[in-house]
C-alpha cells in the first residue's frame, strides 16, 4: 500500500542531483574484508502527487562503476559480472512507500543484467531545504542488501580454504539530494 509521505516534500517532480548524490556498494572480499565502490553516472526523479504519494524512477549506467582499480572495474563490466555491453543500464521503479516508524520502506522493481526482481529499500527522509538560489532541495538516504546471484551475477571463485573471492550479498547505499523542478 502506498502512503502519502508526511513531510515537507511538495507535489511535483524532484530530480536527483548527481553532483550532490552518490550510489555506492560494498561486498565481501576473500571472506575477511570488503571491497567498496560507486557508480559515477546515474539519474532519476521523485514525483510527488497532489495527495503526497511519491513515486521514484532511477537509472544507473553500470559501466560507470568505480572501485578505484581499473583492472577490477574492467572485470566487473565484463559478462562475468554486469555484462555492461549487453546490459548498460540498471533501473529502479517504485511500486509503493510505507511508513516504518519515523522512516519508510520504498518497494519497487529493480532490473540488473536483464533480470527484474522486487526489492525493498530502507528509506530515511532527511527533510527539505530552500537551497542556494536554485530552488528547494530534499535529502534521502536508502539502503538495501541484494544477493548478486538473484540478478544472474553467479560467477563463483571458491577459495581452497573455504568461502569465495567475492561474497553473494551486496549492500547498496544511496545518498540522494533532489532538486525541485520548476
Amino acid at each position: 500500500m502506498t502512503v502519502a509521505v508526511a513531510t515537507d516534500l511538495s507535489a511535483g517532480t524532484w530530480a536527483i542531483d548527481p553532483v550532490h548524490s552518490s550510489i555506492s556498494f560494498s561486498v565481501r572480499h576473500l571472506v575477511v574484508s570488503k571491497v567498496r565502490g560507486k557508480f559515477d553516472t546515474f539519474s532519476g526523479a521523485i514525483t510527488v502527487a497532489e495527495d503526497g504519494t511519491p513515486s521514484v524512477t532511477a537509472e544507473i549506467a553500470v559501466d560507470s562503476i568505480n572501485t578505484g582499480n581499473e583492472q577490477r572495474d574492467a572485470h566487473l563490466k565484463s559478462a562475468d559480472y554486469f555484462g555492461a555491453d549487453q546490459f548498460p543500464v540498471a533501473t529502479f521503479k517504485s511500486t509503493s512507500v510505507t511508513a516504518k516508524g519515523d522512516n519508510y520502506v520504498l518497494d519497487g522493481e529493480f532490473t540488473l543484467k536483464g533480470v527484474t526482481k522486487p526489492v525493498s529499500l530502507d528509506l530515511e527522509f532527511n527533510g527539505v531545504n530552500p537551497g542556494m538560489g536554485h530552488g528547494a532541495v530534499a535529502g534521502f538516504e536508502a539502503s538495501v542488501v541484494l544477493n548478486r546471484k538473484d540478478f544472474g551475477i553467479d560467477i563463483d571463485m571458491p577459495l581452497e580454504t573455504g568461502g569465495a573471492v567475492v561474497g553473494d550479498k551486496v549492500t547498496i547505499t544511496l545518498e540522494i539530494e533532489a532538486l525541485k523542478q520548476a
Side-chain angles (χ1 to χ4, degrees):
M1 173 175 136
T2 300
V3 298
V5 177
T7 66
D8 296 327
L9 198 60
S10 62
T13 300
W14 297 75
I16 293 173
D17 177 359
V19 173
H20 296 103
S21 302
S22 66
I23 300 176
S24 59
F25 66 90
S26 64
V27 62
R28 189 68 62 192
H29 181 251
L30 296 174
V31 183
V32 298
S33 65
K34 290 185 179 178
V35 167
R36 298 178 191 284
K38 63 181 182 165
F39 293 94
D40 291 328
T41 305
F42 54 89
S43 63
I46 300 120
T47 303
V48 181
E50 289 298 326
D51 68 359
T53 304
S55 65
V56 178
T57 58
E59 291 188 352
I60 302 167
V62 296
D63 69 350
S64 72
I65 195 164
N66 181 350
T67 65
N69 180 290
E70 289 182 23
Q71 183 179 4
R72 178 173 46 222
D73 293 348
H75 191 201
L76 290 170
K77 293 174 193 179
S78 77
D80 285 346
Y81 288 93
F82 291 121
D85 287 343
Q86 185 177 0
F87 306 103
V89 177
T91 61
F92 176 82
K93 181 174 173 46
S94 68
T95 56
S96 69
V97 178
T98 53
K100 181 181 178 185
D102 292 337
N103 296 313
Y104 302 91
V105 174
L106 176 63
D107 292 314
E109 299 288 326
F110 182 61
T111 302
L112 176 64
K113 201 174 180 181
V115 178
T116 301
K117 296 278 185 181
V119 298
S120 296
L121 290 88
D122 292 322
L123 176 69
E124 180 179 349
F125 175 66
N126 296 328
V128 175
N129 184 286
M132 298 179 66
H134 300 288
V137 295
F140 305 87
E141 295 179 33
S143 63
V144 64
V145 177
L146 302 175
N147 186 321
R148 65 181 176 85
K149 290 183 177 184
D150 290 346
F151 294 91
I153 302 172
D154 54 7
I155 184 173
D156 279 322
M157 293 182 286
L159 297 169
E160 289 181 22
T161 56
V165 172
V166 178
D168 294 344
K169 293 181 183 178
V170 180
T171 300
I172 300 173
T173 304
L174 299 96
E175 301 279 343
I176 302 296
E177 189 173 295
L179 178 64
K180 178 74 185 275
Q181 303 299 286

